[in-house]
Amino acid sequence: MIDLLWLLLSILVIVLLIIKLRLHPAVSLVIGTLMLGLLTRIPLPDLAGAAAGGFGELMAGIGLSVGFGIILGQLLSDSGGARVIARTLVNATSERFAMYGLAGAAFVLSIPVFYDVTFVILVPLAVAIAREAGKPMPLAVGAVALGAGTAHTLVPPTPNPLAAGEIMDFDVGIMLLVGGIGALVAVILAVAAYSAILPRIWRPKWDEEGEPAFVEHEADPDRREPGFLLSLLPLFTPILLILLGTVWSAAAGDLPGWLAFATDKTVALLLGVLVAYAVASRNMSRHDMDRSAATAVQSAGIVLLITGAGGAFGAIIEKAGIGDLIADSVSAVGGNFLVALLACYLVGMAFRLAVGSGTVASITTMTIMSSLGPTVGVHPVWVAMACLAGALSLGHINDSGFWVTARLPGFSVSGGLKTYTLAQFLASVFALVFALLGAALVPMG
């Protein structure tokens, strides 16, 4: 059991390197990985190779998929398609359900687009909708924060849920189906709960510091934006293909060769990127599209480094046999799936609270808990959902998304905690409840 102590010590070192020494999370994860290997007495000639192998194995599974997903999202944003989707979804709701419309728009946009970009696109619209509907402006901001954060954390092809299938060895289509439904349910319930809570705790004197810092940009009249359905096409092309492969496989067994190829997540996302290029070409020059893709690749590199470093950490955990020790520890307290999933949530929450990065919290928690599913008799997707819900829970001042959410609308730190942190925490609790109910009703699926 001493190896569990070495795991905790390595995690503590990773957290301290990120927080105190301000090292990049990827560097910190690799240092913690090598430290764990040394402490668990993995032979030195094997240590570096095992860590590199873990990095490479995870990258082989999701590297291209993550990159394609980020390029798709960047093209969707730069072509104006994201703005069209947001405006159409919000306008489709009445004043009574305006907050649900905002959260829904944020939910759809954050499946392919980074949180910060989604928020920047939607916050002017959120403020305008709140004004027209007679709703508190911070309520609209919180609705955007929880819709965007929940989708980005739970729904592929964003990096964290996309990695879940590789780390825990199950089909990404299952994560897409379960994560999508669970995230949508969590968003609807969280908006209702948040709408009831926020007016009771919001104090303008303390929570607002000044006028909103954003500038409302009108659409360029000379630029022909894509239509709503056309804007949705790049997003739904890979989603529908991946789901088709999962459903066909469940219903009919082995896939025909051509369908297995087309529904592979990498090929599906590549097709989505090609559709995104076709849509963007209607109002973007070749140079603009090249620049958009280059920006996306730069962002992808950072995400992939962190994700791959998490894969290296997981490889050492597996080689040292710590995954089996964790599973045995759960069995020793009864092997109850309720206890196991709550533990996943709390570990994810602890990482998010400590390091700020939802990606680090998600990947590391799933890596540590990857062997729990068979031990407690539930499908690994429920373990992944609990880990990801924990990683969504407590973003605060050490998270860049917190400052975007607080500063653009003109909120103080306390205002940011009541919008970004509280809203996403509520969504994370409902996502956890969904995972617990799912594990109880459909344990193996």
Side-chain angles (χ1 to χ4, degrees), residues 340-373:
L341 296 190
L342 285 174
C344 292
Y345 180 83
L346 292 174
V347 171
M349 176 188 287
F351 270 108
R352 182 66 187 274
L353 187 66
V355 304
S357 169
T359 300
V360 173
S362 299
I363 299 299
T364 310
T365 305
M366 289 190 295
T367 296
I368 294 170
M369 301 297 186
S370 61
S371 61
L372 274 188

PDB file of all heavy atoms in Angstrom, residues 340-373:
ATOM      1  N   ALA A 340     -17.532   4.769  -5.068  1.00  0.00           N
ATOM      2  CA  ALA A 340     -16.507   4.911  -6.107  1.00  0.00           C
ATOM      3  C   ALA A 340     -16.733   6.173  -6.946  1.00  0.00           C
ATOM      4  O   ALA A 340     -15.805   6.938  -7.203  1.00  0.00           O
ATOM      5  CB  ALA A 340     -16.494   3.677  -7.001  1.00  0.00           C
ATOM      6  N   LEU A 341     -17.976   6.396  -7.379  1.00  0.00           N
ATOM      7  CA  LEU A 341     -18.250   7.559  -8.224  1.00  0.00           C
ATOM      8  C   LEU A 341     -18.139   8.860  -7.439  1.00  0.00           C
ATOM      9  O   LEU A 341     -17.684   9.875  -7.972  1.00  0.00           O
ATOM     10  CB  LEU A 341     -19.633   7.434  -8.868  1.00  0.00           C
ATOM     11  CG  LEU A 341     -19.826   6.265  -9.835  1.00  0.00           C
ATOM     12  CD1 LEU A 341     -21.155   6.398 -10.574  1.00  0.00           C
ATOM     13  CD2 LEU A 341     -18.689   6.160 -10.839  1.00  0.00           C
ATOM     14  N   LEU A 342     -18.538   8.833  -6.177  1.00  0.00           N
ATOM     15  CA  LEU A 342     -18.340  10.030  -5.344  1.00  0.00           C
ATOM     16  C   LEU A 342     -16.858  10.327  -5.165  1.00  0.00           C
ATOM     17  O   LEU A 342     -16.446  11.486  -5.176  1.00  0.00           O
ATOM     18  CB  LEU A 342     -19.003   9.833  -3.979  1.00  0.00           C
ATOM     19  CG  LEU A 342     -20.542   9.927  -3.948  1.00  0.00           C
ATOM     20  CD1 LEU A 342     -21.066   9.565  -2.563  1.00  0.00           C
ATOM     21  CD2 LEU A 342     -20.990  11.335  -4.331  1.00  0.00           C
ATOM     22  N   ALA A 343     -16.056   9.273  -5.013  1.00  0.00           N
ATOM     23  CA  ALA A 343     -14.614   9.468  -4.906  1.00  0.00           C
ATOM     24  C   ALA A 343     -14.052  10.077  -6.178  1.00  0.00           C
ATOM     25  O   ALA A 343     -13.207  10.983  -6.128  1.00  0.00           O
ATOM     26  CB  ALA A 343     -13.931   8.132  -4.600  1.00  0.00           C
ATOM     27  N   CYS A 344     -14.512   9.607  -7.343  1.00  0.00           N
ATOM     28  CA  CYS A 344     -14.082  10.178  -8.621  1.00  0.00           C
ATOM     29  C   CYS A 344     -14.407  11.671  -8.682  1.00  0.00           C
ATOM     30  O   CYS A 344     -13.579  12.497  -9.105  1.00  0.00           O
ATOM     31  CB  CYS A 344     -14.761   9.458  -9.789  1.00  0.00           C
ATOM     32  SG  CYS A 344     -14.242   7.755 -10.027  1.00  0.00           S
ATOM     33  N   TYR A 345     -15.620  12.009  -8.280  1.00  0.00           N
ATOM     34  CA  TYR A 345     -16.055  13.414  -8.302  1.00  0.00           C
ATOM     35  C   TYR A 345     -15.184  14.267  -7.384  1.00  0.00           C
ATOM     36  O   TYR A 345     -14.733  15.355  -7.763  1.00  0.00           O
ATOM     37  CB  TYR A 345     -17.522  13.492  -7.874  1.00  0.00           C
ATOM     38  CG  TYR A 345     -18.080  14.900  -7.855  1.00  0.00           C
ATOM     39  CD1 TYR A 345     -18.550  15.504  -9.019  1.00  0.00           C
ATOM     40  CD2 TYR A 345     -18.150  15.621  -6.668  1.00  0.00           C
ATOM     41  CE1 TYR A 345     -19.074  16.788  -9.006  1.00  0.00           C
ATOM     42  CE2 TYR A 345     -18.672  16.902  -6.633  1.00  0.00           C
ATOM     43  CZ  TYR A 345     -19.133  17.485  -7.808  1.00  0.00           C
ATOM     44  OH  TYR A 345     -19.636  18.767  -7.784  1.00  0.00           O
ATOM     45  N   LEU A 346     -14.932  13.776  -6.178  1.00  0.00           N
ATOM     46  CA  LEU A 346     -14.164  14.560  -5.205  1.00  0.00           C
ATOM     47  C   LEU A 346     -12.705  14.717  -5.625  1.00  0.00           C
ATOM     48  O   LEU A 346     -12.110  15.779  -5.405  1.00  0.00           O
ATOM     49  CB  LEU A 346     -14.255  13.903  -3.822  1.00  0.00           C
ATOM     50  CG  LEU A 346     -15.651  13.946  -3.173  1.00  0.00           C
ATOM     51  CD1 LEU A 346     -15.661  13.138  -1.887  1.00  0.00           C
ATOM     52  CD2 LEU A 346     -16.075  15.389  -2.913  1.00  0.00           C
ATOM     53  N   VAL A 347     -12.136  13.680  -6.238  1.00  0.00           N
ATOM     54  CA  VAL A 347     -10.757  13.804  -6.725  1.00  0.00           C
ATOM     55  C   VAL A 347     -10.690  14.833  -7.852  1.00  0.00           C
ATOM     56  O   VAL A 347      -9.798  15.685  -7.890  1.00  0.00           O
ATOM     57  CB  VAL A 347     -10.219  12.439  -7.196  1.00  0.00           C
ATOM     58  CG1 VAL A 347      -8.878  12.597  -7.903  1.00  0.00           C
ATOM     59  CG2 VAL A 347     -10.071  11.494  -6.003  1.00  0.00           C
ATOM     60  N   GLY A 348     -11.657  14.765  -8.790  1.00  0.00           N
ATOM     61  CA  GLY A 348     -11.712  15.764  -9.849  1.00  0.00           C
ATOM     62  C   GLY A 348     -11.886  17.166  -9.304  1.00  0.00           C
ATOM     63  O   GLY A 348     -11.254  18.128  -9.764  1.00  0.00           O
ATOM     64  N   MET A 349     -12.744  17.318  -8.302  1.00  0.00           N
ATOM     65  CA  MET A 349     -12.954  18.622  -7.673  1.00  0.00           C
ATOM     66  C   MET A 349     -11.674  19.132  -7.020  1.00  0.00           C
ATOM     67  O   MET A 349     -11.332  20.321  -7.137  1.00  0.00           O
ATOM     68  CB  MET A 349     -14.063  18.506  -6.623  1.00  0.00           C
ATOM     69  CG  MET A 349     -14.305  19.791  -5.839  1.00  0.00           C
ATOM     70  SD  MET A 349     -15.456  19.559  -4.456  1.00  0.00           S
ATOM     71  CE  MET A 349     -16.999  19.390  -5.345  1.00  0.00           C
ATOM     72  N   ALA A 350     -10.967  18.246  -6.334  1.00  0.00           N
ATOM     73  CA  ALA A 350      -9.732  18.654  -5.668  1.00  0.00           C
ATOM     74  C   ALA A 350      -8.698  19.149  -6.674  1.00  0.00           C
ATOM     75  O   ALA A 350      -8.027  20.172  -6.445  1.00  0.00           O
ATOM     76  CB  ALA A 350      -9.167  17.483  -4.856  1.00  0.00           C
ATOM     77  N   PHE A 351      -8.566  18.447  -7.785  1.00  0.00           N
ATOM     78  CA  PHE A 351      -7.623  18.884  -8.817  1.00  0.00           C
ATOM     79  C   PHE A 351      -8.042  20.224  -9.409  1.00  0.00           C
ATOM     80  O   PHE A 351      -7.210  21.101  -9.616  1.00  0.00           O
ATOM     81  CB  PHE A 351      -7.515  17.834  -9.928  1.00  0.00           C
ATOM     82  CG  PHE A 351      -6.449  16.810  -9.698  1.00  0.00           C
ATOM     83  CD1 PHE A 351      -6.773  15.508  -9.365  1.00  0.00           C
ATOM     84  CD2 PHE A 351      -5.110  17.147  -9.803  1.00  0.00           C
ATOM     85  CE1 PHE A 351      -5.785  14.560  -9.139  1.00  0.00           C
ATOM     86  CE2 PHE A 351      -4.109  16.217  -9.588  1.00  0.00           C
ATOM     87  CZ  PHE A 351      -4.454  14.912  -9.252  1.00  0.00           C
ATOM     88  N   ARG A 352      -9.327  20.392  -9.714  1.00  0.00           N
ATOM     89  CA  ARG A 352      -9.780  21.657 -10.299  1.00  0.00           C
ATOM     90  C   ARG A 352      -9.555  22.800  -9.324  1.00  0.00           C
ATOM     91  O   ARG A 352      -9.135  23.897  -9.713  1.00  0.00           O
ATOM     92  CB  ARG A 352     -11.263  21.555 -10.666  1.00  0.00           C
ATOM     93  CG  ARG A 352     -11.826  22.816 -11.338  1.00  0.00           C
ATOM     94  CD  ARG A 352     -11.182  23.021 -12.709  1.00  0.00           C
ATOM     95  NE  ARG A 352     -11.562  24.280 -13.309  1.00  0.00           N
ATOM     96  CZ  ARG A 352     -12.654  24.495 -14.033  1.00  0.00           C
ATOM     97  NH1 ARG A 352     -13.517  23.505 -14.209  1.00  0.00           N
ATOM     98  NH2 ARG A 352     -12.886  25.665 -14.567  1.00  0.00           N
ATOM     99  N   LEU A 353      -9.850  22.571  -8.066  1.00  0.00           N
ATOM    100  CA  LEU A 353      -9.657  23.598  -7.044  1.00  0.00           C
ATOM    101  C   LEU A 353      -8.195  23.973  -6.910  1.00  0.00           C
ATOM    102  O   LEU A 353      -7.841  25.149  -6.765  1.00  0.00           O
ATOM    103  CB  LEU A 353     -10.200  23.087  -5.702  1.00  0.00           C
ATOM    104  CG  LEU A 353     -10.235  24.068  -4.530  1.00  0.00           C
ATOM    105  CD1 LEU A 353     -11.218  25.193  -4.818  1.00  0.00           C
ATOM    106  CD2 LEU A 353     -10.631  23.337  -3.252  1.00  0.00           C
ATOM    107  N   ALA A 354      -7.315  22.962  -7.005  1.00  0.00           N
ATOM    108  CA  ALA A 354      -5.897  23.198  -6.768  1.00  0.00           C
ATOM    109  C   ALA A 354      -5.193  23.837  -7.960  1.00  0.00           C
ATOM    110  O   ALA A 354      -4.449  24.810  -7.798  1.00  0.00           O
ATOM    111  CB  ALA A 354      -5.204  21.892  -6.399  1.00  0.00           C
ATOM    112  N   VAL A 355      -5.409  23.315  -9.159  1.00  0.00           N
ATOM    113  CA  VAL A 355      -4.601  23.751 -10.307  1.00  0.00           C
ATOM    114  C   VAL A 355      -5.354  24.654 -11.279  1.00  0.00           C
ATOM    115  O   VAL A 355      -4.737  25.290 -12.132  1.00  0.00           O
ATOM    116  CB  VAL A 355      -4.016  22.547 -11.073  1.00  0.00           C
ATOM    117  CG1 VAL A 355      -3.205  21.672 -10.151  1.00  0.00           C
ATOM    118  CG2 VAL A 355      -5.112  21.726 -11.748  1.00  0.00           C
ATOM    119  N   GLY A 356      -6.672  24.702 -11.191  1.00  0.00           N
ATOM    120  CA  GLY A 356      -7.428  25.607 -12.054  1.00  0.00           C
ATOM    121  C   GLY A 356      -7.788  25.033 -13.400  1.00  0.00           C
ATOM    122  O   GLY A 356      -8.888  25.233 -13.880  1.00  0.00           O
ATOM    123  N   SER A 357      -6.894  24.314 -14.019  1.00  0.00           N
ATOM    124  CA  SER A 357      -7.123  23.806 -15.369  1.00  0.00           C
ATOM    125  C   SER A 357      -8.098  22.630 -15.362  1.00  0.00           C
ATOM    126  O   SER A 357      -7.841  21.596 -14.737  1.00  0.00           O
ATOM    127  CB  SER A 357      -5.798  23.361 -16.000  1.00  0.00           C
ATOM    128  OG  SER A 357      -6.023  22.638 -17.193  1.00  0.00           O
ATOM    129  N   GLY A 358      -9.214  22.769 -16.078  1.00  0.00           N
ATOM    130  CA  GLY A 358     -10.154  21.675 -16.198  1.00  0.00           C
ATOM    131  C   GLY A 358      -9.566  20.503 -16.958  1.00  0.00           C
ATOM    132  O   GLY A 358      -9.892  19.346 -16.691  1.00  0.00           O
ATOM    133  N   THR A 359      -8.679  20.796 -17.923  1.00  0.00           N
ATOM    134  CA  THR A 359      -8.040  19.726 -18.688  1.00  0.00           C
ATOM    135  C   THR A 359      -7.134  18.883 -17.803  1.00  0.00           C
ATOM    136  O   THR A 359      -7.184  17.650 -17.828  1.00  0.00           O
ATOM    137  CB  THR A 359      -7.226  20.319 -19.853  1.00  0.00           C
ATOM    138  OG1 THR A 359      -8.092  21.053 -20.714  1.00  0.00           O
ATOM    139  CG2 THR A 359      -6.542  19.224 -20.653  1.00  0.00           C
ATOM    140  N   VAL A 360      -6.308  19.538 -16.990  1.00  0.00           N
ATOM    141  CA  VAL A 360      -5.428  18.803 -16.073  1.00  0.00           C
ATOM    142  C   VAL A 360      -6.261  17.988 -15.090  1.00  0.00           C
ATOM    143  O   VAL A 360      -5.986  16.804 -14.843  1.00  0.00           O
ATOM    144  CB  VAL A 360      -4.504  19.770 -15.313  1.00  0.00           C
ATOM    145  CG1 VAL A 360      -3.705  19.028 -14.247  1.00  0.00           C
ATOM    146  CG2 VAL A 360      -3.556  20.469 -16.271  1.00  0.00           C
ATOM    147  N   ALA A 361      -7.304  18.606 -14.538  1.00  0.00           N
ATOM    148  CA  ALA A 361      -8.146  17.909 -13.568  1.00  0.00           C
ATOM    149  C   ALA A 361      -8.823  16.699 -14.202  1.00  0.00           C
ATOM    150  O   ALA A 361      -8.859  15.613 -13.608  1.00  0.00           O
ATOM    151  CB  ALA A 361      -9.193  18.878 -13.012  1.00  0.00           C
ATOM    152  N   SER A 362      -9.349  16.868 -15.411  1.00  0.00           N
ATOM    153  CA  SER A 362     -10.059  15.769 -16.078  1.00  0.00           C
ATOM    154  C   SER A 362      -9.135  14.611 -16.409  1.00  0.00           C
ATOM    155  O   SER A 362      -9.413  13.453 -16.058  1.00  0.00           O
ATOM    156  CB  SER A 362     -10.709  16.281 -17.372  1.00  0.00           C
ATOM    157  OG  SER A 362     -11.649  17.287 -17.126  1.00  0.00           O
ATOM    158  N   ILE A 363      -8.051  14.909 -17.110  1.00  0.00           N
ATOM    159  CA  ILE A 363      -7.160  13.855 -17.590  1.00  0.00           C
ATOM    160  C   ILE A 363      -6.519  13.114 -16.426  1.00  0.00           C
ATOM    161  O   ILE A 363      -6.444  11.871 -16.407  1.00  0.00           O
ATOM    162  CB  ILE A 363      -6.078  14.440 -18.516  1.00  0.00           C
ATOM    163  CG1 ILE A 363      -6.709  15.101 -19.750  1.00  0.00           C
ATOM    164  CG2 ILE A 363      -5.098  13.356 -18.940  1.00  0.00           C
ATOM    165  CD1 ILE A 363      -7.514  14.169 -20.618  1.00  0.00           C
ATOM    166  N   THR A 364      -6.063  13.851 -15.414  1.00  0.00           N
ATOM    167  CA  THR A 364      -5.388  13.213 -14.291  1.00  0.00           C
ATOM    168  C   THR A 364      -6.353  12.351 -13.490  1.00  0.00           C
ATOM    169  O   THR A 364      -6.024  11.222 -13.098  1.00  0.00           O
ATOM    170  CB  THR A 364      -4.745  14.268 -13.375  1.00  0.00           C
ATOM    171  OG1 THR A 364      -3.973  15.180 -14.153  1.00  0.00           O
ATOM    172  CG2 THR A 364      -3.844  13.617 -12.351  1.00  0.00           C
ATOM    173  N   THR A 365      -7.548  12.858 -13.240  1.00  0.00           N
ATOM    174  CA  THR A 365      -8.524  12.092 -12.460  1.00  0.00           C
ATOM    175  C   THR A 365      -8.945  10.832 -13.195  1.00  0.00           C
ATOM    176  O   THR A 365      -9.008   9.738 -12.599  1.00  0.00           O
ATOM    177  CB  THR A 365      -9.760  12.959 -12.158  1.00  0.00           C
ATOM    178  OG1 THR A 365      -9.358  14.169 -11.520  1.00  0.00           O
ATOM    179  CG2 THR A 365     -10.721  12.214 -11.246  1.00  0.00           C
ATOM    180  N   MET A 366      -9.232  10.942 -14.484  1.00  0.00           N
ATOM    181  CA  MET A 366      -9.613   9.740 -15.245  1.00  0.00           C
ATOM    182  C   MET A 366      -8.473   8.741 -15.300  1.00  0.00           C
ATOM    183  O   MET A 366      -8.697   7.520 -15.262  1.00  0.00           O
ATOM    184  CB  MET A 366     -10.064  10.132 -16.652  1.00  0.00           C
ATOM    185  CG  MET A 366     -11.406  10.832 -16.696  1.00  0.00           C
ATOM    186  SD  MET A 366     -12.087  11.042 -18.370  1.00  0.00           S
ATOM    187  CE  MET A 366     -10.886  12.144 -19.117  1.00  0.00           C
ATOM    188  N   THR A 367      -7.255   9.234 -15.395  1.00  0.00           N
ATOM    189  CA  THR A 367      -6.084   8.350 -15.411  1.00  0.00           C
ATOM    190  C   THR A 367      -5.979   7.556 -14.113  1.00  0.00           C
ATOM    191  O   THR A 367      -5.745   6.344 -14.119  1.00  0.00           O
ATOM    192  CB  THR A 367      -4.814   9.184 -15.628  1.00  0.00           C
ATOM    193  OG1 THR A 367      -4.869   9.808 -16.908  1.00  0.00           O
ATOM    194  CG2 THR A 367      -3.580   8.317 -15.548  1.00  0.00           C
ATOM    195  N   ILE A 368      -6.168   8.243 -12.986  1.00  0.00           N
ATOM    196  CA  ILE A 368      -6.051   7.584 -11.685  1.00  0.00           C
ATOM    197  C   ILE A 368      -7.179   6.584 -11.469  1.00  0.00           C
ATOM    198  O   ILE A 368      -6.974   5.488 -10.930  1.00  0.00           O
ATOM    199  CB  ILE A 368      -6.056   8.647 -10.562  1.00  0.00           C
ATOM    200  CG1 ILE A 368      -4.796   9.516 -10.652  1.00  0.00           C
ATOM    201  CG2 ILE A 368      -6.135   7.991  -9.188  1.00  0.00           C
ATOM    202  CD1 ILE A 368      -4.825  10.731  -9.744  1.00  0.00           C
ATOM    203  N   MET A 369      -8.378   6.927 -11.909  1.00  0.00           N
ATOM    204  CA  MET A 369      -9.564   6.109 -11.628  1.00  0.00           C
ATOM    205  C   MET A 369      -9.946   5.162 -12.771  1.00  0.00           C
ATOM    206  O   MET A 369     -11.025   4.570 -12.745  1.00  0.00           O
ATOM    207  CB  MET A 369     -10.755   7.030 -11.326  1.00  0.00           C
ATOM    208  CG  MET A 369     -10.538   7.955 -10.153  1.00  0.00           C
ATOM    209  SD  MET A 369     -10.309   7.027  -8.618  1.00  0.00           S
ATOM    210  CE  MET A 369     -10.259   8.341  -7.400  1.00  0.00           C
ATOM    211  N   SER A 370      -9.094   4.993 -13.742  1.00  0.00           N
ATOM    212  CA  SER A 370      -9.464   4.266 -14.963  1.00  0.00           C
ATOM    213  C   SER A 370      -9.839   2.805 -14.739  1.00  0.00           C
ATOM    214  O   SER A 370     -10.564   2.210 -15.536  1.00  0.00           O
ATOM    215  CB  SER A 370      -8.323   4.338 -15.983  1.00  0.00           C
ATOM    216  OG  SER A 370      -7.152   3.735 -15.476  1.00  0.00           O
ATOM    217  N   SER A 371      -9.371   2.193 -13.660  1.00  0.00           N
ATOM    218  CA  SER A 371      -9.634   0.762 -13.446  1.00  0.00           C
ATOM    219  C   SER A 371     -10.842   0.511 -12.548  1.00  0.00           C
ATOM    220  O   SER A 371     -11.140  -0.646 -12.234  1.00  0.00           O
ATOM    221  CB  SER A 371      -8.404   0.106 -12.817  1.00  0.00           C
ATOM    222  OG  SER A 371      -8.108   0.690 -11.567  1.00  0.00           O
ATOM    223  N   LEU A 372     -11.568   1.555 -12.153  1.00  0.00           N
ATOM    224  CA  LEU A 372     -12.636   1.376 -11.172  1.00  0.00           C
ATOM    225  C   LEU A 372     -13.882   0.696 -11.734  1.00  0.00           C
ATOM    226  O   LEU A 372     -14.586   0.000 -11.012  1.00  0.00           O
ATOM    227  CB  LEU A 372     -13.050   2.735 -10.588  1.00  0.00           C
ATOM    228  CG  LEU A 372     -12.238   3.254  -9.401  1.00  0.00           C
ATOM    229  CD1 LEU A 372     -12.890   4.495  -8.837  1.00  0.00           C
ATOM    230  CD2 LEU A 372     -12.094   2.192  -8.329  1.00  0.00           C
ATOM    231  N   GLY A 373     -14.192   0.943 -13.031  1.00  0.00           N
ATOM    232  CA  GLY A 373     -15.433   0.440 -13.595  1.00  0.00           C
ATOM    233  C   GLY A 373     -15.684  -1.032 -13.340  1.00  0.00           C
ATOM    234  O   GLY A 373     -16.693  -1.415 -12.715  1.00  0.00           O
TER     235      GLY A 373
END
